[in-house]
């Protein structure tokens, strides 16, 4: 009996220490990343409250060897808020334009994937890695989707795929916003990262009152949960996008979120992106880095040229075309579109189409290319 009581006291002591350690780590993460966001904001870096925390996380963990932590619920909450805000840019007119540009979405996606395939052949030969690893690391799909897909191919190295996808993501996340703000919009939007998503007053939800704000929050949460159940890509972002877009198209006038919450959502997303990057997972990362970086830069340059052509063919700005075609995530490119006052609905639609195409079409094509049996799919 005494042994049992002693064991229970020991367990409670360990749980208390664990909770204290988690709390200290959470406070450390918040302090370090807040400093990064504030510094980038003072430096007028585009998307300062996403890129600042991301950079601070990478540097702090790399230099101090201390592990930071951030609850996934905060990441999901940030994605939910950002998705809801971006869905407010959809209107019936934008829906008609998106439907009219479906052939262009298909063409741009096929061209981007084709260019990535060519780059992967060069990288495989130059870096002396397997074609499967190079191709899966070069395709502009979601990092997690490509890593999971790589498990189907025996000759694909998961650490190489993760590293290459990470370098591509970092290249796009840092370079594309800079080009969009300082090259394609004249730099006037650099200090206003969320003007078209958030309420300009920043004091509360604009339009519709408290009741409509509660309704909108409930709709965003339910749509996020539904998207998770349906296994949509980036469900906590895509679900609220669809919910608020439908409310806008139905002319329900949902309220806009306050800017302080949107900045907090960007902060949370930046932390989570930084925590997901593990350079130490690949022993020979220094040898692969130049080729991965060259591949990332090449795809950005290719999309810039393609965007110029599309801006001539369609009544859209160069910034909208570039952000629509750039191989970043829906969230990152959507936030950037808000910063430069581009057509957010068009950007999200193009990004969504590309991700769904890669998620559902590319796996079948790769199986046929590498002659992999249909034993274990990742589509579900």
């Amino acid at each position: 009996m005494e042994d049992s009581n002693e064991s229970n006291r020991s367990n409670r002591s360990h749980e208390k220490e664990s909770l204290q350690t988690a709390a200290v780590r959470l406070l450390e993460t918040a302090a370090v990343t807040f400093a990064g966001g504030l510094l980038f904001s003072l430096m007028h870096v585009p998307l300062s409250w996403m890129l600042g925390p991301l950079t601070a996380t990478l540097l702090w963990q790399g230099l101090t060897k201390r592990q930071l932590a951030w609850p996934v619920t905060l990441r999901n909450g940030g994605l939910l808020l950002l998705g809801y805000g971006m869905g407010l840019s959809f209107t019936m007119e934008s829906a008609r334009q998106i439907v009219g540009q479906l052939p262009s979405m298909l063409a741009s996606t096929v061209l981007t994937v084709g260019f990535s395939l060519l780059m992967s052949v060069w990288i495989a030969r130059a870096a002396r890695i397997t074609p499967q690893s190079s191709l899966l690391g070069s395709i502009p799909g979601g990092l997690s989707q490509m890593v999971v897909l790589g498990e189907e191919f025996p000759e694909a190295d998961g650490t190489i795929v993760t590293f290459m996808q990470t370098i591509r993501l970092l290249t796009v996340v840092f370079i594309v916003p800079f080009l969009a703000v300082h090259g394609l919009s004249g730099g006037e939007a650099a200090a206003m990262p969320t003007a078209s998503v958030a309420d300009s007053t920043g004091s509360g939800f604009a339009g519709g009152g408290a009741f409509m704000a509660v309704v909108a929050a409930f709709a965003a949460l339910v749509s996020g949960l539904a998207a998770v159940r349906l296994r949509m890509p980036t469900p906590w972002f895509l679900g609220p996008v669809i919910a608020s877009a439908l409310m806008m198209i139905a002319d329900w006038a949902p309220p806009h979120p306050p800017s302080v919450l949107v900045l907090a959502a960007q902060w949370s997303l930046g932390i989570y992106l930084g925590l997901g990057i593990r350079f130490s997972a690949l022993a020979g990362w220094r040898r692969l880095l130049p080729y991965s970086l060259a591949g990332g830069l090449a795809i950005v340059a290719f999309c810039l040229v393609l965007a110029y052509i599309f801006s001539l063919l369609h009544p859209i700005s160069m910034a909208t075309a570039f952000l629509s075609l750039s191989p970043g995530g829906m969230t990152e490119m959507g936030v950037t579109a808000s910063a430069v006052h581009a057509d957010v609905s068009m950007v999200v639609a193009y990004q969504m189409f590309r991700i769904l195409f890669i998620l559902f079409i590319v796996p079948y094509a790769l199986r046929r290319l590498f002659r992999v049996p249909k034993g274990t799919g990742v589509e579900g």
Side-chain angles (χ1 to χ4, degrees), residues 29 33 50 53-54 57 70 266-276:
T29 303
T33 55
M50 184 173 74
L54 190 160
T57 301
W70 197 248
Q266 292 184 24
W267 177 23
S268 181
L269 177 61
I271 295 172
Y272 201 83
L273 289 173
L275 291 176

Side-chain angles (χ1 to χ4, degrees), residues 79-270:
L79 287 175
L80 186 147
L81 184 63
L82 291 173
Y84 167 80
M86 290 176 197
L88 299 178
S89 63
F90 283 80
T91 62
M92 185 61 72
E93 179 59 29
S94 65
R96 293 193 188 97
Q97 292 180 3
I98 289 170
V99 171
Q101 292 198 33
L102 285 175
S104 296
M105 293 181 188
L106 177 61
S108 65
T109 300
V110 171
L111 288 172
T112 303
V113 172
F115 182 80
S116 300
L117 175 62
L118 294 177
M119 289 301 302
S120 73
V121 173
W122 171 75
I123 293 175
R125 293 175 179 174
R128 299 189 298 277
I129 60 177
T130 64
Q132 290 90 336
S133 298
S134 182
L135 181 56
L136 290 169
S138 301
I139 291 178
L143 188 151
S144 59
Q145 287 92 336
M146 291 301 102
V147 173
V148 172
L149 179 60
E151 296 176 357
E152 294 192 23
F153 301 92
E155 295 185 29
D157 188 324
T159 56
I160 291 178
V161 174
T162 300
F163 180 82
M164 292 181 65
Q165 287 286 346
T166 297
I167 295 301
R168 178 189 59 80
L169 176 63
L170 287 176
T171 303
V172 172
V173 166
F174 278 92
I175 292 180
V176 169
F178 182 85
L179 290 177
V181 171
H182 296 291
L184 305 180
S185 70
E188 71 275 6
M192 298 186 299
T194 56
S196 62
V197 173
D199 165 27
S200 60
T201 65
S203 58
F205 283 82
F211 174 75
M212 196 61 197
V214 172
V215 172
F218 179 77
L221 178 60
V222 170
S223 62
L225 292 170
V228 171
R229 292 292 299 272
L230 294 173
R231 298 185 179 181
M232 292 182 176
T234 321
W236 289 104
F237 176 80
L238 188 54
V241 166
I242 296 173
S244 57
L246 290 176
M247 285 190 284
M248 286 295 294
I249 293 173
D251 200 25
W252 286 0
H256 289 252
S259 58
V260 64
L261 288 183
V262 178
L263 290 176
Q266 292 184 24
W267 177 23
S268 181
L269 177 61

